[in-house]
């Protein structure tokens, strides 16, 4: 158990460092790149990252479970997962650049190609899942932190000495290439064998079994990136820069609430097991209200100070980001109660509700984007994000109100 606690501390440290380094990088890049160039870079990365679900093949959770269930098969499972993901990575690179022929300006397709090579190194994250299964999460976190440090250093080099899109594109590759190298070093020292016989049938079986998780991953990634893709395609990459500059600030606060929910929910589950369903619900409402007070206070303060915050961090060129931030920051309370409801559905064994909710939110977001982006640009995308979060995280739960999820969320939000 001590290993898992140590791994959790390393993981939290890595996530915090990633959040801060990305915010620092974006803030400084906004000072040396025009909104058009920064928007093009972010748009290309959004196109690349939307294929992450296809690279992972939904095998992240499944591989951990299978290794825990079949320790003797772990080398074979890792090998088959790696091969399947390398094949998928090549398909991703081809698909990304084919799409780029349609949606990316010819002068920027080289940038898209460079960033698309990001996918070649992602299959090595299979070793992250192996480390988690072995209770060695700190090894995965060390690799990720090394990648963040090196990519931050490379971006700082670009910012101060060579502020070109090619340098910043290469930083994305460094971010995944360094962890891959670290993982290979760790696995070499732990005598992980990657020379197990390869079975196409076994590989197909793994991918087939993970298909529901792959679909869920696709929905989540589309939900996260669809605003940037639609902005770039409908009104230009400059609006992408305004949007991402603002959402990076509001999404930074997701970390606080989601981390606290993750830390305290095991204790809440103990309340359910020891004291029954009523005590469990009361505990969720009590903790949820504290988070809601924090989120609403944060949203009010940020809305009032949006313009000076954006001006200090990004400069006058990104003044339009203040309007975006004034809307996206209000998504924070709904993200928090959405995470609470997700935990409740998992505990109740109703994971499909999470998928259906995500699909509804995604479709509603796309529908609103089609209406609002053409008229309002990045601000329209921000309004769509807030509205879809309200529906997907809260309102849709009133249809079934399974396990009193909607009632509990209402008590948290409305202080009833």
């Amino acid at each position: 158990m001590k290993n898992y606690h140590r791994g959790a501390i390393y993981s939290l440290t890595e996530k915090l460092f990633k959040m801060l380094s990305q915010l620092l990088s974006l803030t400084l890049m906004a000072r040396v790149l025009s909104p058009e160039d920064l928007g093009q870079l972010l748009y290309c990365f959004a196109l690349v990252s939307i294929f992450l679900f296809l690279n992972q093949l939904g095998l992240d959770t499944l591989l951990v479970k299978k290794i825990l269930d079949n320790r003797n098969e772990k080398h074979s499972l890792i090998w088959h997962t790696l091969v399947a993901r390398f094949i998928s990575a090549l398909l991703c690179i081809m698909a990304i650049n084919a799409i780029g022929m349609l949606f990316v300006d010819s002068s920027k397709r080289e940038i898209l190609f460079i960033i698309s090579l990001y996918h070649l190194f992602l299959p090595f994250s299979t070793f992250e899942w192996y480390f988690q299964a072995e209770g060695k999460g700190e090894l995965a976190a060390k690799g990720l932190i090394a990648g963040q440090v090196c990519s931050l250093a490379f971006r700082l080099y670009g910012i101060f000495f060579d502020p070109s899109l090619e340098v910043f594109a290469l930083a994305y590759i460094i971010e995944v290439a360094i962890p891959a190298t670290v993982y290979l070093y760790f696995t070499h020292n732990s005598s992980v064998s990657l020379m197990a016989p390869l079975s196409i049938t076994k590989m197909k079986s793994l991918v087939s079994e993970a298909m529901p998780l792959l679909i869920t991953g696709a929905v989540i990634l589309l939900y996260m990136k669809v605003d940037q893709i639609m902005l770039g395609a409908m009104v230009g990459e400059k609006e992408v820069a305004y949007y991402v500059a603002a959402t990076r600030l509001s999404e930074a606060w997701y970390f606080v609430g989601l981390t606290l929910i993750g830390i305290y929910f095991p204790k809440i589950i103990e309340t359910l097991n020891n004291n029954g369903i009523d005590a469990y619900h009361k505990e969720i409402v009590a903790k949820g209200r504290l988070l809601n007070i924090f989120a609403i206070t944060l949203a009010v303060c940020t809305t009032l100070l949006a313009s000076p915050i954006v001006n200090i961090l990004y400069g006058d060129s990104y003044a339009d980001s203040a309007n975006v931030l004034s809307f996206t920051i209000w998504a924070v309370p709904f993200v928090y109660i959405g995470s609470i409801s997700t935990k409740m559905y998992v505990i109740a064994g109703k994971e499909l509700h999470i998928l259906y909710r995500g699909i509804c939110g995604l479709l509603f977001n796309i529908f609103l984007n089609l209406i609002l982006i053409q008229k309002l640009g990045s601000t329209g995308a921000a309004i769509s994000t807030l509205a879809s979060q309200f529906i997907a995280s809260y309102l849709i739960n009133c249809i079934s109100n399974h396990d009193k999820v909607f009632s509990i969320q209402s008590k948290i939000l409305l202080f009833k």
Side-chain angles (χ1 to χ4, degrees):
M1 184 61 70
K2 188 180 292 185
N3 287 341
Y4 286 99
H5 289 323
R6 185 172 59 192
I9 292 170
Y10 270 98
S11 180
L12 288 173
T13 302
E14 182 271 322
K15 286 180 172 59
L16 179 60
F17 183 80
K18 181 178 181 178
M19 179 187 74
L20 294 174
S21 65
Q22 287 183 344
L23 184 58
L24 175 63
S25 296
L26 183 64
T27 301
L28 294 177
M29 285 193 296
R31 296 287 183 172
V32 297
L33 294 176
S34 67
E36 291 84 356
D37 283 343
L38 181 58
Q40 186 68 65
L41 180 72
L42 296 170
Y43 180 62
C44 287
F45 183 65
L47 281 175
V48 170
S49 59
I50 211 166
F51 282 86
L52 287 173
F53 77 93
L54 190 57
N55 192 304
Q56 289 188 340
L57 294 171
L59 289 169
D60 44 351
T61 303
L62 183 65
L63 183 66
V64 172
K65 181 178 182 300
K66 282 192 168 292
I67 289 175
L68 291 172
D69 292 342
N70 305 281
R71 292 282 187 183
N72 294 333
E73 290 286 315
K74 65 181 180 182
H75 294 165
S76 175
L77 287 166
I78 293 169
W79 175 233
H80 282 84
T81 300
L82 271 174
V83 173
R85 291 190 64 192
F86 271 116
I87 294 170
S88 182
L90 294 174
L91 294 175
C92 288
I93 292 171
M94 289 189 286
I96 289 163
N97 287 282
I99 291 173
M101 299 292 286
L102 300 174
F103 295 106
V104 177
D105 185 84
S106 58
S107 63
K108 298 295 189 294
R109 287 174 191 161
E110 180 186 355
I111 302 301
L112 179 66
F113 174 73
I114 293 171
I115 300 176
S116 71
L117 298 179
Y118 178 91
H119 278 273
L120 280 179
F121 297 93
L122 284 176
F124 290 102
S125 66
T126 300
F127 294 115
E128 286 180 40
W129 311 337
Y130 163 68
F131 295 142
Q132 290 169 13
E134 294 289 297
K136 298 177 181 177
E138 72 276 7
L139 298 183
K142 286 176 181 178
L144 292 170
I145 291 171
Q148 291 293 329
V149 169
C150 292
S151 65
L152 176 61
F154 197 76
R155 286 189 178 99
L156 291 174
Y157 162 78
I159 288 163
F160 292 109
F161 301 106
D162 185 11
S164 64
L165 291 183
E166 288 79 9
V167 169
F168 295 129
L170 284 171
Y172 287 113
I173 298 177
I174 290 171
E175 192 173 323
V176 287
I178 296 299
T181 305
V182 173
Y183 297 155
L184 287 173
Y185 171 77
F186 285 147
T187 52
H188 175 73
N189 286 345
S190 61
S191 302
V192 174
S193 173
L194 297 179
M195 301 307 293
L198 187 65
S199 167
I200 301 299
T201 302
K202 186 171 184 176
M203 198 186 307
K204 287 181 178 178
S205 175
L206 272 173
V207 174
S208 176
E209 192 174 346
M211 192 58 64
L213 295 171
L214 188 151
I215 295 170
T216 302
V219 171
I220 292 170
L221 272 170
L222 283 168
Y223 203 173
M224 292 171 62
K225 298 295 181 180
V226 70
D227 297 312
Q228 295 174 45
I229 300 296
M230 294 183 73
L231 276 169
M234 294 174 67
V235 292
E237 289 80 9
K238 181 165 68 171
E239 294 293 324
V240 178
Y242 295 150
Y243 181 80
V244 174
T247 55
R248 193 61 59 85
L249 292 172
S250 54
E251 288 172 359
W253 291 104
Y254 294 177
F255 172 83
V256 176
L258 298 181
T259 300
L260 289 172
I261 290 167
I263 290 171
Y264 283 105
F265 229 83
K267 181 67 176 175
I268 294 174
I269 294 173
E270 283 185 21
T271 302
L272 171 63
N273 295 334
N274 297 332
N275 302 318
I277 192 75
D278 290 338
Y280 163 68
H281 288 165
K282 287 179 182 178
E283 188 75 7
I284 292 174
V285 170
K287 295 291 191 296
R289 281 178 176 169
L290 292 175
L291 277 176
N292 192 38
I293 291 170
F294 167 76
I296 291 175
T297 303
L298 171 70
V300 170
C301 293
T302 302
T303 302
L304 295 174
L305 299 172
S307 292
I309 289 172
V310 168
N311 186 52
I312 290 169
L313 291 176
Y314 300 117
D316 294 336
S317 300
Y318 290 82
D320 287 356
S321 294
N323 290 331
V324 178
L325 181 59
S326 296
F327 285 103
T328 58
I329 196 66
W330 285 97
V332 174
F334 299 112
V335 169
Y336 289 176
I337 65 166
S339 176
I340 290 171
S341 66
T342 296
K343 298 284 188 183
M344 294 180 70
Y345 281 133
V346 170
I347 290 170
K350 294 173 180 173
E351 289 84 353
L352 277 178
H353 287 281
I354 302 169
L355 175 59
Y356 297 150
R357 189 176 66 179
I359 292 173
C360 289
L362 172 63
L363 294 176
F364 190 78
N365 196 14
I366 292 172
F367 172 73
L368 281 182
N369 278 340
L370 290 171
I371 297 172
L372 296 175
I373 283 179
Q374 205 68 52
K375 297 178 181 178
L376 301 173
S378 54
T379 302
I383 295 170
S384 298
T385 297
L386 175 57
S388 60
Q389 280 288 359
F390 170 73
I391 289 171
S393 296
Y394 174 60
L395 194 60
I396 199 170
N397 292 322
C398 76
I399 296 173
S400 60
N401 199 24
H402 279 293
D403 298 297
K404 297 184 179 180
V405 169
F406 181 74
S407 301
I408 288 169
Q409 287 182 308
S410 297
K411 288 179 180 179
I412 293 172
L413 276 178
L414 306 175
F415 300 98
K416 292 168 60 179

